[in-house]
Amino acid sequence: MAQQQQQQVVCVQVGQCGNQLGLELFSTIAAEAGQAASSEWRRAALDTFFRVSAHASAGVLTARAVLLDMEPKVISAVTCAARASGVWQYDEQQQLSRQSGSANNWAHGYNTHAPSAREPILQMIRREVDRCDAFGGFFIIQSLAGGTGSGLGTYVTESLRDEYPTAFIINQPVWPFETGEVIVQNYNALLSLAHLYQTSDAVICMQNDQYQLACRRLLNIKKVSFADLNRLIVHALVSVLLPFRCVVPSASASGASGSSVSVRPTPSASASSAAAASAGSAPPPQLRHAAAAVQSAAASGVDVRRPLESFFEPVTQLCAHASYRLLNIKSVPQMAQAAIEFSAYRWEALCRRLHQML
């Protein structure tokens, strides 16, 4: 079977939250790729999110990213942190900042800063897209609480839709705390989602309160910092963003043609993403027999491997209808096949639990 060319993703980091999350995201992807046992998967993961720049040092990768903020300090900090890693860096020509912020005001970011910065932003994005061999789409990281992430991020999304009408656009907004310090954060979030829902192809909301609770209850972190939240959010994102292989057993091995399961050979992930489904979706029934089917197919010598696919493939299927664009990420624990019969976890119970969580 001919190897399918891996699609590249252009990330747009908007605002303080977007740039800090983007730094954590690229650092995690580079670390995962560095530990990967499969050279094919390592090349696919790095090629999706990184490129080789003529201005970079030998062996140092450059992120396929555009950094936007209305204050220079955050962009300067994440640029220095990326360069200090010695593994990857940001392209300093793909950054735009101003000296005045957006005053936590969606209208200030959307109506004041965004129109004046539209052409420079689009020019940087065009350069990044031109450097892709197989451009797949955009991944926009932003916050909904502040003015830059919400207002400028919304405007950039609409501009990209006009500039690239057929490109796939995924927005990853961070939902603010219920007791946040920004008094107008609810208005910022409401205005942003109203626009994104009409423009973006998929919106993956990450809730600060949910991940703060996970840090306290599951990780036993007493004083949760933004760095802790960023690491946990990126851990969930990486489980669906990295390339995966769809394993399809034969009809004789599975008993039903077409059943499949996604496999991501990430070395350090402790949980596999089992659902990123919009409201009302039912868990796929083939999950219950996928593991046994794959084992039987492998034992019979059947080649069950497919080319590595990007995260755009499942998201395209999940967001096939224009009225269902809000996504969430749910995870189930991984365990050895021999330990399943001694565990309280069963596919039937897990699927029922996932269906209740939708």
Side-chain angles (χ1 to χ4, degrees):
M1 182 180 293
Q3 179 66 42
Q4 187 180 16
Q5 189 173 16
Q6 189 69 27
Q7 292 181 324
Q8 287 94 40
V9 179
V10 174
C11 295
V12 182
Q13 304 173 188
V14 189
Q16 176 179 348
C17 176
N19 282 290
Q20 291 175 343
L21 263 181
L23 172 67
E24 188 69 29
L25 175 66
F26 283 107
S27 298
T28 303
I29 292 174
E32 293 281 359
Q35 302 173 35
S38 169
S39 59
E40 178 193 5
W41 184 87
R42 185 189 307 112
R43 286 193 301 269
L46 293 178
D47 185 58
T48 300
F49 294 94
F50 295 93
R51 57 179 170 83
V52 178
S53 175
H55 304 287
S57 303
V60 178
L61 299 171
T62 301
R64 301 183 186 273
V66 175
L67 283 64
L68 309 174
D69 200 1
M70 292 298 103
E71 293 179 337
K73 61 179 181 180
V74 175
I75 290 183
S76 177
V78 300
T79 302
C80 292
R83 190 187 302 112
S85 69
V87 178
W88 69 280
Q89 67 177 14
Y90 284 115
D91 190 340
E92 295 187 6
Q93 297 181 350
Q94 297 294 86
Q95 303 173 6
L96 182 140
S97 62
R98 295 286 189 263
Q99 294 300 321
S100 61
S102 299
N104 293 324
N105 190 311
W106 181 91
H108 198 60
Y110 186 87
N111 295 319
T112 303
H113 289 307
S116 63
R118 184 179 190 274
E119 284 308 316
I121 292 173
L122 289 180
Q123 186 176 1
M124 291 188 298
I125 293 176
R126 291 189 198 105
R127 283 201 302 262
E128 202 61 54
V129 171
D130 290 340
R131 291 167 177 153
C132 297
D133 296 326
F135 173 63
F138 298 102
F139 186 70
I140 303 174
I141 310 173
Q142 61 189 117
S143 171
L144 297 181
T148 301
S150 61
L152 180 62
T154 300
Y155 190 94
V156 169
T157 303
E158 294 177 342
S159 299
L160 289 179
R161 176 56 67 210
D162 295 335
E163 187 80 7
Y164 300 91
T166 60
F168 203 84
I169 301 177
I170 298 179
N171 287 78
Q172 191 270 294
V174 176
W175 192 265
F177 290 104
E178 290 186 7
T179 57
E181 298 178 355
V182 181
I183 194 171
V184 294
Q185 65 179 22
N186 294 336
Y187 299 103
N188 294 339
L190 180 62
L191 290 168
S192 298
L193 286 182
H195 286 256
L196 294 179
Y197 204 79
Q198 301 297 325
T199 309
S200 179
D201 293 295
V203 181
I204 306 176
C205 282
M206 313 298 281
Q207 301 178 29
N208 272 333
D209 288 305
Q210 181 185 32
Y211 287 95
Q212 184 184 53
L213 191 63
C215 285
R216 289 176 176 172
R217 291 186 176 180
L218 302 180
L219 303 180
N220 296 321
I221 301 176
K222 302 202 180 287
K223 294 184 178 180
V224 181
S225 65
F226 284 112
D228 297 324
L229 291 176
N230 290 343
R231 279 193 294 269
L232 200 58
I233 290 174
V234 166
H235 181 83
L237 283 174
V238 164
S239 66
V240 296
L241 292 184
L242 289 177
F244 64 93
R245 192 186 302 282
C246 193
V247 181
V248 182
S250 63
S252 60
S254 63
S257 178
S259 61
S260 62
V261 61
S262 297
V263 177
R264 281 183 186 82
T266 51
S268 62
S270 60
S272 64
S273 174
S278 52
S281 302
Q286 65 265 30
L287 284 177
R288 300 171 184 148
H289 307 291
V294 170
Q295 264 193 338
S296 300
S300 62
V302 179
D303 184 11
V304 296
R305 299 193 306 167
R306 283 187 172 183
L308 288 167
E309 300 180 10
S310 68
F311 69 96
F312 286 109
E313 301 298 330
V315 173
T316 303
Q317 299 176 19
L318 289 170
C319 301
H321 195 281
S323 298
Y324 296 94
R325 294 177 178 174
L326 290 178
L327 301 179
N328 197 3
I329 299 176
K330 304 294 183 183
S331 299
V332 294
Q334 291 180 337
M335 63 182 66
Q337 183 71 25
I340 292 181
E341 59 178 309
F342 302 103
S343 171
Y345 292 101
R346 294 290 185 272
W347 277 119
E348 291 79 4
L350 289 174
C351 289
R352 184 166 59 251
R353 174 63 175 163
L354 286 173
H355 185 68
Q356 294 171 354
M357 295 167 66
L358 293 175

